[in-house]
Amino acid sequence: MSSVLSRLRALWGVRWRNIPLAAVSGVVAVGLVGGGVALAVGSPTESAASSVNSAVAEEAAAARTGNGNSSDSVTEKQRTAREQSAANRGGGHQKAPKSDKGKESSSPKDTAKEAVKKNAAKDTVKKDAAKNAVATKPKNWGLPLTDYHLTGRFGQNGHKWSSFHHGLDFAAPTGVPIHAVGSGKISAAGWAGAYGNRVEIRHPDGTVTLYGHMSKILRWSGSVHVGDVIGYVGATGNVTGPHVHLEVRPHGGGLDDAVNPFPWLVDKGLHP
């Protein structure tokens, strides 16, 4: 009997009020009859026990369901919060995009410097081209010697000349090559008294140039070009030392037609 009462007390803690009266009666009857008696299927006692067990199971299931939903809800919120926090942290530590400093356009100062460099390069190219053009341009006139010093000047008087000096003297050691100052044709060559060994060249404009006191004549006739070697420095004729006497006669005449060779050469772009 005491076991029956204990069971009833336990059932009261579940939901006693919800248990049908017939079930209670069945339980009491079961207690009275004694344990171990088999109950007929579908009897009130079995229904009562099933109801009690069902009620207990439903209560437990409801509790579990409620707790599960609540737990799932909390867990989902926590998961969402953690993911959001991770995303925020990841965003906070994201690598900054690489700078495109190398691709940025140049500053105005850099642009100005580049422009100056380009202009300087262009000027250099132009100057080099001009120098090359001058170097490759055919020369129309030249000097009779490449290494010399001037001695006798045009118009000088003295015992060294029978009259005043009609030419310009380029002093140099004996044997130094003498060059034609311009292209033309040899009009005379040989001995000529005070001039010693001399060569005369008539140029296309009618001017005649005379080269005196040669130690040796190389070109006696024919056409010559500017710079051609026509003889060698000497001291033949009326001289005091080796040199070449250059006379310029613009109209191809005699001594009276001679002009100062110095300004004539300068006018040709030369610097004796």
Side-chain angles (χ1 to χ4, degrees):
M1 186 68 179
S2 60
S3 61
V4 173
L5 292 176
S6 297
R7 189 170 185 180
L8 290 175
R9 289 192 188 96
L11 291 174
W12 177 264
V14 179
R15 278 187 182 180
W16 181 254
R17 294 178 184 180
N18 293 332
I19 300 173
L21 183 59
V24 175
S25 301
V27 172
V28 173
V30 171
L32 292 176
V33 174
V37 180
L39 297 179
V41 178
S43 66
T45 302
E46 184 178 0
S47 299
S50 298
S51 298
V52 172
N53 293 334
S54 297
V56 172
E58 289 176 0
E59 182 67 20
R64 285 196 303 272
T65 303
N67 291 337
N69 292 339
S70 176
S71 176
D72 291 342
S73 177
V74 173
T75 302
E76 184 65 25
K77 290 181 180 179
Q78 291 176 348
R79 184 183 299 109
T80 303
R82 285 196 298 270
E83 291 176 354
Q84 184 64 36
S85 177
N88 292 337
R89 288 197 300 273
H93 294 285
Q94 288 180 352
K95 294 183 180 180
K98 293 183 179 179
S99 175
D100 291 336
K101 290 183 179 180
K103 298 180 181 179
E104 293 178 356
S105 59
S106 302
S107 64
K109 291 183 179 180
D110 294 338
T111 303
K113 290 180 180 179
E114 290 297 329
V116 171
K117 289 181 180 179
K118 289 181 179 179
N119 290 335
K122 290 180 180 179
D123 292 340
T124 301
V125 171
K126 290 180 179 179
K127 290 179 180 179
D128 291 342
K131 289 180 180 179
N132 292 334
V134 172
T136 57
K137 184 179 180 181
K139 293 181 179 180
N140 295 325
W141 302 95
L143 295 173
L145 300 181
T146 56
D147 189 13
Y148 60 90
H149 67 277
L150 297 178
T151 54
R153 303 279 180 160
F154 180 83
Q156 287 180 324
N157 291 307
H159 64 280
K160 295 184 292 183
W161 303 284
S162 58
S163 61
F164 76 96
H165 195 224
H166 291 86
L168 185 64
D169 292 344
F170 292 79
T174 299
V176 172
I178 300 172
H179 305 274
V181 298
S183 298
K185 187 175 182 179
I186 295 176
S187 57
W191 186 265
Y195 289 106
N197 293 321
R198 61 89 172 82
V199 172
E200 297 180 17
I201 300 174
R202 185 178 295 276
H203 303 284
D205 63 354
T207 301
V208 172
T209 54
L210 182 150
Y211 311 81
H213 312 304
M214 292 184 179
S215 61
K216 180 181 179 181
I217 298 174
L218 182 63
R219 299 291 297 272
W220 294 82
S221 62
S223 298
V224 296
H225 299 284
V226 57
D228 286 351
V229 177
I230 57 176
Y232 300 94
V233 172
T236 58
N238 187 15
V239 297
T240 57
H243 68 279
V244 58
H245 172 85
L246 177 66
E247 281 189 16
V248 176
R249 302 173 182 179
H251 305 290
L255 287 177
D256 294 339
D257 191 34
V259 298
N260 189 347
F262 193 96
W264 183 86
L265 292 170
V266 171
D267 185 62
K268 305 300 182 183
L270 303 172
H271 303 283

